[in-house]
Structure formats: C-alpha cells, structure tokens
DNA sequence: TGAATATATCGCTGTTTGGCAATATAGTAA
DNA sequence: TTACTATATTGCCAAACAGCGATATATTCA
C-alpha cells in the first residue's frame, strides 16, 4: 500500500479514535446482535441516557451506524460490519500478548 | 465471537487509542518500510525529538514495536504487522465513505 | 577522565473529551 | 390543547494527553 499523506493519516486516526472508547465498543457489540433503540441500549449497558445518546451520535457521525425513526423511538444499527474485523484483529494481538505474558512466568524451563 | 467483558473492552479500546494519533501512525508507516533509529524518524517526520521519543515509548509499551540498542542509537521495528491490516480496513471504509460522498454530489441521475 | 552524540524523561500548557444533571426537542396518545 | 415517553442537546467539570523546552541518562570516542 502506498504511503498515506498527513491528512489521510488524520482521517485514519479519527476512525481509531472513535473506536478507542469502551462504552462505544459496548454499543457496537450490542448492535451486532441486532438493531436497538436508545433505551434498549441504556438498559442493557446500564449507562446514562445522555451518555448513550452522545456516544451513538459520535458513532453515527463517524459513519459506523445507521439510524431510523420508528414511531417514538430511534433504532440504531451497524452500517460498517468491517469494524468487527478490526476488533478481532486486536483481540488476536491481545491473546498473543497474554500468552507471552504467561510464558514469562510459567513457560521458562525450570532449570 | 463471544461477547467481550468490560475489562476486555477496555483492553481493546486501549489498543485503538494508541493508533488514534497521526504522529504514531506516521511512525508505524515509516517503520513498515524498515527499522529506524529515533533520529532517523525525527528527520523523516519533521517532528521534535522529545515527541518522537514519547510516541515511540507509547507504541513500545503497547507491544506494537520492538526496540534494540545499536551502539549509541536505539533501533525500533514493527512487532505486530497485524496493525497494518487494521489500517487497510479503515482505509477501505474511508474510500467507501468518499465514494458515497461523491455520489451525493455527482452520482444522482440528472433528471 | 571529558566532550560529543543519541535517547529518554520531566514539568508545563492548551486542547480534547467522557460523564453528569438539567433542559430542549420530537413524537404519541388522551 | 395537555400529558407522557423517547431522544438529543447544553453547560459544566475533571481527567487524559500531545507537544514543547529543558534536562537527565546512556553510549562512544579521544
């Protein structure tokens, strides 16, 4: 892949920044199962309504979610399933790290 | 994939956070070509030595880089090539966004 | 030794941002 | 209309952090 220019790096960093937040990752994880209203997310995450709404706005503005009014409610859903590939790659790295950590304590030969 | 627990989400978010910074992405991009000393990065990035060193420390602590002393210098290199898969997925998303944006202006049928 | 170079760290500052309470807005139902 | 529910927004605060200059530490060489 060609080298990215500064403003392209900025754009990539901005996407990572959106994913760099546990509450937002939890929202994405919930929505992966099925679309949800704001209130459903508030309940399943145990977070405040204002905060869930704010984080949903950030995810939506980043183009990661779709939004649709349904009567009195607003239903959010995943627009970019590709984000879950990202999470899986990161999880793979964390598992490798954990294995290395374990090896440091337990894996070295006894003598 | 199974649902991630809160502290696993924290760990994933922490990795994304490390990648959510243009200077660090630029460093990774440079190191992808070949390993570099701090000074080489300072010159090629046009950044201050203190900042490059700080960002290298953050990347290293996150387990993304390897570090090796070579005489008077310290050579950094990529430890987790998987991060470039992450960047490519994000770039793919950005390209899709750009295409959508373009379609909004130019792609709709004229009449 | 001492000087020179390379890297890391410290203290600081301005900016960003997650979380909160309060409030505003939008839709529904009576 | 009024009351009610769902969602979004605003203003605030505290924590996190990138970038900076100055300085400390490490390594080499004379």
């Amino acid at each position: 892949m060609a080298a990215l220019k500064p403003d392209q790096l900025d754009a990539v960093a901005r996407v990572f920044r959106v994913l760099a937040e546990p509450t937002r990752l939890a929202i994405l994880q919930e929505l992966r199962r099925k679309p949800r209203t704001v209130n459903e997310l508030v309940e399943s995450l145990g977070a405040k309504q204002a905060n869930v709404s704010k984080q949903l706005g950030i995810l939506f503005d980043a183009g990661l979610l779709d939004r649709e009014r349904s009567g009195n409610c607003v239903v959010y859903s995943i627009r970019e399933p590709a984000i879950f590939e990202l999470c899986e790659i990161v999880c793979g790295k964390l598992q490798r790290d954990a294995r290395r950590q374990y090896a440091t304590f337990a894996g070295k030969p006894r003598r």
Side-chain angles (χ1 to χ4, degrees), chain A:
Chain A
M1 183 158 63
L4 274 54
K5 298 183 214 167
D7 41 339
Q8 295 176 310
L9 292 176
D10 272 19
V12 174
R14 223 170 305 140
V15 174
F16 281 131
R17 185 158 205 79
V18 172
L19 297 173
E21 226 285 320
T23 302
R24 289 195 285 270
L25 292 180
I27 289 174
L28 293 173
Q29 191 171 236
E30 280 295 312
L31 294 182
R32 185 181 200 182
R33 309 199 52 169
K34 65 176 181 183
R36 305 272 189 177
T37 68
V38 181
N39 251 342
E40 286 170 339
L41 290 169
V42 168
E43 289 173 17
S44 62
L45 300 180
K48 300 289 178 179
Q49 182 268 326
N51 195 31
V52 172
S53 189
K54 183 196 247 184
Q55 306 309 333
L56 283 168
I58 292 172
L59 290 164
F60 179 81
D61 290 345
L64 301 181
L65 298 186
D66 277 322
R67 172 158 62 184
E68 187 195 3
R69 253 225 127 76
S70 170
N72 210 4
C73 303
V74 176
V75 178
Y76 284 87
S77 55
I78 298 294
R79 179 174 195 169
E80 282 282 356
I83 53 181
F84 297 113
E85 298 176 41
L86 298 179
C87 294
E88 274 164 30
I89 292 173
V90 172
C91 286
K93 172 220 178 318
L94 292 172
Q95 284 172 4
R96 285 192 294 279
D97 289 352
R99 269 197 287 274
R100 276 197 278 249
Q101 180 71 4
Y102 177 75
T104 301
F105 288 113
K108 289 186 178 169
R110 195 68 64 86
R111 58 173 68 224

